[in-house]
Amino acid sequence: MRRVFWLGVGIATGVALTRKAQSAVRQASPSGIAANLGEAMRELATAVGAFGADIRAGMAEREEELSEMVEQRSGVSPLARRALGASAPATRRPAHASDARARRANG
C-alpha cells in the first residue's frame, strides 16, 4: 500500500513539473514573449487612460472652484460672461526682434 501511495505521489509530481516546464518553454518562445509584451502594453494603455481621466476630472473640479471664487469676489459669473460673448480685454504684445526682421524682409 505504501508503494502505491509513493508511486501516485511521484506520478503527480512528474505531471506537475512537466506542465510547469512546458509553460516556461512557451513563455520563452518568441510568440510567448510577444503575448506578454502585448498584455503589458494593454495594461499600460489602460493605466494611461485612467490617469488622463483623473487629470480631466481634477481640472474640471478645479475650474468649478475657481469659477465659484471669481463669482463670490466679483459678483460676475464667468459662465454668464462667456455666454454673453464678452472676453478679457485684449493686450498689445510688444514687438519682438523676429517681428522687426520679418517687416524688413518684406520691404
Side-chain angles (χ1 to χ4, degrees):
M1 192 65 166
R2 286 179 114 183
R3 289 183 187 193
V4 174
F5 170 76
W6 288 113
L7 178 66
V9 169
I11 290 172
T13 303
V15 168
L17 289 176
T18 302
R19 286 186 179 178
K20 193 78 130 168
Q22 286 175 348
S23 173
V25 167
R26 223 177 294 122
Q27 286 181 353
S29 70
S31 63
I33 291 171
N36 288 341
L37 183 61
E39 184 177 331
M41 293 302 289
R42 277 190 298 277
E43 288 178 14
L44 178 63
T46 301
V48 168
F51 178 71
D54 289 346
I55 294 293
R56 285 188 297 277
M59 286 173 43
E61 182 179 328
R62 181 63 177 153
E63 184 176 0
E64 181 65 31
E65 290 172 2
L66 292 173
S67 294
E68 289 174 6
M69 186 184 306
V70 167
E71 188 172 356
Q72 288 173 355
R73 291 185 180 180
S74 68
V76 177
S77 172
L79 298 177
R81 185 175 179 156
R82 278 190 215 151
L84 294 174
S87 62
T91 58
R92 183 176 168 91
R93 284 189 353 200
H96 293 296
S98 62
D99 293 341
R101 273 186 259 141
R103 276 188 253 122
R104 275 187 259 133
N106 289 333

